[in-house]
PDB file of all heavy atoms in Angstrom:
ATOM      1  N   VAL A 250      11.876   3.094  18.509  1.00 98.00           N
ATOM      2  CA  VAL A 250      12.658   2.318  17.445  1.00 98.00           C
ATOM      3  C   VAL A 250      11.878   2.130  16.268  1.00 98.00           C
ATOM      4  O   VAL A 250      12.436   1.681  15.111  1.00 98.00           O
ATOM      5  CB  VAL A 250      13.135   0.941  17.954  1.00 98.00           C
ATOM      6  CG1 VAL A 250      14.247   1.194  19.036  1.00 98.00           C
ATOM      7  CG2 VAL A 250      11.963   0.095  18.598  1.00 98.00           C
ATOM      8  N   SER A 251      10.582   2.381  16.185  1.00 98.00           N
ATOM      9  CA  SER A 251       9.840   2.233  15.025  1.00 98.00           C
ATOM     10  C   SER A 251       8.446   2.972  15.204  1.00 98.00           C
ATOM     11  O   SER A 251       8.131   3.275  16.315  1.00 98.00           O
ATOM     12  CB  SER A 251       9.534   0.690  14.678  1.00 98.00           C
ATOM     13  OG  SER A 251       8.917  -0.031  15.713  1.00 98.00           O
ATOM     14  N   ASP A 252       7.785   3.148  14.074  1.00 97.00           N
ATOM     15  CA  ASP A 252       6.468   3.860  14.164  1.00 97.00           C
ATOM     16  C   ASP A 252       5.709   3.528  12.866  1.00 97.00           C
ATOM     17  O   ASP A 252       6.246   2.896  11.984  1.00 97.00           O
ATOM     18  CB  ASP A 252       6.658   5.240  14.310  1.00 97.00           C
ATOM     19  CG  ASP A 252       7.210   5.912  12.951  1.00 97.00           C
ATOM     20  OD1 ASP A 252       6.407   6.227  12.087  1.00 97.00           O
ATOM     21  OD2 ASP A 252       8.372   6.095  12.766  1.00 97.00           O
ATOM     22  N   ASP A 253       4.422   3.797  12.945  1.00 96.00           N
ATOM     23  CA  ASP A 253       3.554   3.700  11.737  1.00 96.00           C
ATOM     24  C   ASP A 253       2.920   5.012  11.448  1.00 96.00           C
ATOM     25  O   ASP A 253       1.727   4.975  10.980  1.00 96.00           O
ATOM     26  CB  ASP A 253       2.646   2.542  11.913  1.00 96.00           C
ATOM     27  CG  ASP A 253       1.682   2.714  13.261  1.00 96.00           C
ATOM     28  OD1 ASP A 253       0.764   3.347  13.097  1.00 96.00           O
ATOM     29  OD2 ASP A 253       2.060   2.209  14.211  1.00 96.00           O
ATOM     30  N   LEU A 254       3.368   6.089  11.818  1.00 95.00           N
ATOM     31  CA  LEU A 254       2.740   7.445  11.734  1.00 95.00           C
ATOM     32  C   LEU A 254       2.802   7.817  10.248  1.00 95.00           C
ATOM     33  O   LEU A 254       3.670   7.654   9.582  1.00 95.00           O
ATOM     34  CB  LEU A 254       3.464   8.488  12.577  1.00 95.00           C
ATOM     35  CG  LEU A 254       3.601   8.194  14.055  1.00 95.00           C
ATOM     36  CD1 LEU A 254       4.617   9.223  14.765  1.00 95.00           C
ATOM     37  CD2 LEU A 254       2.319   8.301  14.744  1.00 95.00           C
ATOM     38  N   CYS A 255       1.582   8.527   9.954  1.00 93.00           N
ATOM     39  CA  CYS A 255       1.442   9.061   8.451  1.00 93.00           C
ATOM     40  C   CYS A 255       2.497  10.117   8.347  1.00 93.00           C
ATOM     41  O   CYS A 255       2.797  10.275   7.128  1.00 93.00           O
ATOM     42  CB  CYS A 255       0.089   9.671   8.409  1.00 93.00           C
ATOM     43  SG  CYS A 255      -1.358   8.649   8.723  1.00 93.00           S
ATOM     44  N   THR A 256       3.025  10.764   9.280  1.00 94.00           N
ATOM     45  CA  THR A 256       3.976  11.691   9.145  1.00 94.00           C
ATOM     46  C   THR A 256       5.368  11.281   9.219  1.00 94.00           C
ATOM     47  O   THR A 256       6.284  11.972   9.162  1.00 94.00           O
ATOM     48  CB  THR A 256       3.783  12.654  10.399  1.00 94.00           C
ATOM     49  OG1 THR A 256       3.640  12.024  11.460  1.00 94.00           O
ATOM     50  CG2 THR A 256       2.614  13.681  10.137  1.00 94.00           C
ATOM     51  N   ALA A 257       5.628   9.863   9.340  1.00 95.00           N
ATOM     52  CA  ALA A 257       7.012   9.407   9.284  1.00 95.00           C
ATOM     53  C   ALA A 257       7.023   8.212   8.441  1.00 95.00           C
ATOM     54  O   ALA A 257       7.133   8.269   7.330  1.00 95.00           O
ATOM     55  CB  ALA A 257       7.381   9.137  10.772  1.00 95.00           C
ATOM     56  N   THR A 258       6.963   6.996   9.161  1.00 95.00           N
ATOM     57  CA  THR A 258       7.167   5.789   8.331  1.00 95.00           C
ATOM     58  C   THR A 258       5.991   5.633   7.282  1.00 95.00           C
ATOM     59  O   THR A 258       6.311   5.296   6.106  1.00 95.00           O
ATOM     60  CB  THR A 258       7.091   4.552   9.328  1.00 95.00           C
ATOM     61  OG1 THR A 258       8.282   4.757  10.190  1.00 95.00           O
ATOM     62  CG2 THR A 258       7.540   3.273   8.432  1.00 95.00           C
ATOM     63  N   GLY A 259       4.810   6.052   7.769  1.00 93.00           N
ATOM     64  CA  GLY A 259       3.688   5.919   6.643  1.00 93.00           C
ATOM     65  C   GLY A 259       3.935   6.947   5.590  1.00 93.00           C
ATOM     66  O   GLY A 259       3.299   6.712   4.540  1.00 93.00           O
ATOM     67  N   TYR A 260       4.770   7.906   5.759  1.00 94.00           N
ATOM     68  CA  TYR A 260       5.041   8.929   4.717  1.00 94.00           C
ATOM     69  C   TYR A 260       5.890   8.343   3.508  1.00 94.00           C
ATOM     70  O   TYR A 260       5.693   8.647   2.336  1.00 94.00           O
ATOM     71  CB  TYR A 260       5.628  10.120   5.268  1.00 94.00           C
ATOM     72  CG  TYR A 260       5.876  11.376   4.340  1.00 94.00           C
ATOM     73  CD1 TYR A 260       4.939  11.698   3.481  1.00 94.00           C
ATOM     74  CD2 TYR A 260       7.132  11.892   4.203  1.00 94.00           C
ATOM     75  CE1 TYR A 260       5.170  12.922   2.624  1.00 94.00           C
ATOM     76  CE2 TYR A 260       7.325  12.928   3.360  1.00 94.00           C
ATOM     77  CZ  TYR A 260       6.357  13.315   2.635  1.00 94.00           C
ATOM     78  OH  TYR A 260       6.675  14.350   1.629  1.00 94.00           O
ATOM     79  N   PHE A 261       6.858   7.587   3.860  1.00 94.00           N
ATOM     80  CA  PHE A 261       7.838   7.050   2.776  1.00 94.00           C
ATOM     81  C   PHE A 261       7.631   5.647   2.430  1.00 94.00           C
ATOM     82  O   PHE A 261       8.020   5.245   1.420  1.00 94.00           O
ATOM     83  CB  PHE A 261       9.288   7.373   3.330  1.00 94.00           C
ATOM     84  CG  PHE A 261       9.763   6.370   4.362  1.00 94.00           C
ATOM     85  CD1 PHE A 261      10.172   5.047   3.886  1.00 94.00           C
ATOM     86  CD2 PHE A 261       9.766   6.610   5.657  1.00 94.00           C
ATOM     87  CE1 PHE A 261      10.651   4.099   4.756  1.00 94.00           C
ATOM     88  CE2 PHE A 261      10.187   5.661   6.586  1.00 94.00           C
ATOM     89  CZ  PHE A 261      10.675   4.343   6.085  1.00 94.00           C
TER      90      PHE A 261
END
Side-chain angles (χ1 to χ4, degrees):
Chain A
V250 289
S251 57
D252 71 85
D253 56 85
L254 303 171
C255 301
T256 41
T258 302
Y260 181 54
F261 78 82

